[in-house]
Amino acid sequence: SQQGEEDPQALSIQEGENATMNCSYKTSINNLQWYRQNSGRGLVHLILIRSNEREKHSGRLRVTLDTSKKSSSLLITASRAADTASYFCATAYTGGFKTIFGAGTRLFVKA
Amino acid sequence: EAQVTQNPRYLITVTGKKLTVTCSQNMNHEYMSWYRQDPGLGLRQIYYSMNVEVTDKGDVPEGYKVSRKEKRNFPLILESPSPNQTSLYFCASSITTDRPPGEQYFGPGTRLTVT
């Protein structure tokens, strides 16, 4: 399978805590994206990081990329109950048009 | 409002009865794609299109067909649906003027059940 892998599969935290989820991929990428999905709805794009970038921020989100380890992490700081959702990483491989999604991390934030 | 629309949203059909799920975007995006989502497997790409009349297979194209005759539309065709095609389907688009695709905008999903 070409799928990326995410861990943990599920994460349960208290409101106000930070949530970290990880994504690993298999071959050279052009960019890596993180998406959020609420309960069977369409995915919403959160942030894109290019292969020549190491870290990117957007509001309470921080994404890192380590191309030597073929991995990325998404950190959500000061989580809220409304952050409860599934989070997916997606990779766009160098030289192609395919997009490969990971299996996702289910985040549950308890109020 | 910029959006990707899919129809129908829900569909129950029987094995072998041809069906089409429509997808339309109003953002003048070049790139469009179909995914299926199954529990524990995340999203898997079925087909994608880089522009009008240019399509290519994703990771799970068997049993599906697509066409891109207009920039805004990218229908997914199941010529002879089977129960293993029961899934949640998403259409997405991206502006991408150069490979590979960046941010994708997703439709609301089509839940298909094949009995």
Side-chain angles (χ1 to χ4, degrees):
Chain A
S1 166
Q2 293 187 56
Q3 272 198 312
E5 294 180 7
E6 295 182 60
D7 76 273
Q9 288 187 333
L11 181 60
S12 182
I13 60 175
Q14 292 289 140
E15 207 166 30
E17 294 180 338
N18 295 342
T20 299
M21 45 207 97
N22 304 295
C23 168
S24 61
Y25 57 91
K26 296 185 178 177
T27 61
S28 178
I29 62 170
N30 176 278
N31 67 69
L32 185 145
Q33 303 157 50
W34 285 90
Y35 290 83
R36 166 194 169 124
Q37 182 183 37
N38 286 88
S39 186
R41 294 187 171 185
L43 279 72
V44 175
H45 182 264
L46 296 175
I47 196 165
L48 179 152
I49 186 164
R50 301 198 181 279
S51 59
N52 59 354
E53 298 175 311
R54 292 297 167 257
E55 188 171 311
K56 207 161 180 182
H57 297 254
S58 176
R60 293 184 296 112
L61 305 180
R62 173 178 162 241
V63 168
T64 60
L65 179 65
D66 186 334
T67 53
S68 67
K69 295 181 180 177
K70 292 187 171 58
S71 67
S72 173
S73 67
L74 170 68
L75 168 67
I76 304 174
T77 60
S79 61
R80 306 165 182 167
D83 293 328
T84 294
S86 291
Y87 292 82
F88 295 89
C89 68
T91 47
Y93 288 88
T94 303
F97 282 94
K98 277 189 181 181
T99 305
I100 307 295
F101 278 82
T105 293
R106 292 185 66 182
L107 174 65
F108 180 65
V109 182
K110 292 176 278 189
Chain B
E1 180 191 353
Q3 60 183 349
V4 178
T5 57
Q6 295 178 228
N7 282 292
R9 295 287 314 281
Y10 302 91
L11 179 59
I12 301 174
T13 190
V14 296
T15 299
K17 186 176 180 181
K18 181 179 178 179
L19 66 92
T20 299
V21 184
T22 64
C23 173
S24 183
Q25 49 94 4
N26 63 359
M27 295 168 280
N28 202 36
H29 284 172
E30 291 191 346
Y31 183 90
M32 296 186 75
S33 181
W34 277 102
Y35 300 90
R36 61 178 287 174
Q37 184 176 27
D38 302 290
L41 295 178
L43 278 78
R44 293 179 292 168
Q45 193 170 37
I46 303 171
Y47 270 96
Y48 57 92
S49 169
M50 295 77 81
N51 214 324
V52 174
E53 302 290 5
V54 184
T55 63
D56 205 350
K57 296 176 181 178
D59 285 335
V60 289
E62 296 78 20
Y64 304 94
K65 284 176 59 176
V66 293
S67 68
R68 187 97 180 269
K69 293 183 169 55
E70 305 166 282
K71 199 170 188 178
R72 63 183 293 127
N73 296 323
F74 189 45
L76 179 70
I77 303 157
L78 284 72
E79 295 268 3
S80 183
S82 63
N84 65 12
Q85 293 178 297
T86 291
S87 189
L88 179 59
Y89 291 86
F90 288 102
C91 180
S93 71
S94 178
I95 192 167
T96 303
T97 55
D98 194 6
R99 65 179 64 186
E103 174 184 359
Q104 294 185 46
Y105 293 77
F106 279 78
T110 294
R111 190 167 292 279
L112 172 65
T113 302
V114 184
T115 61

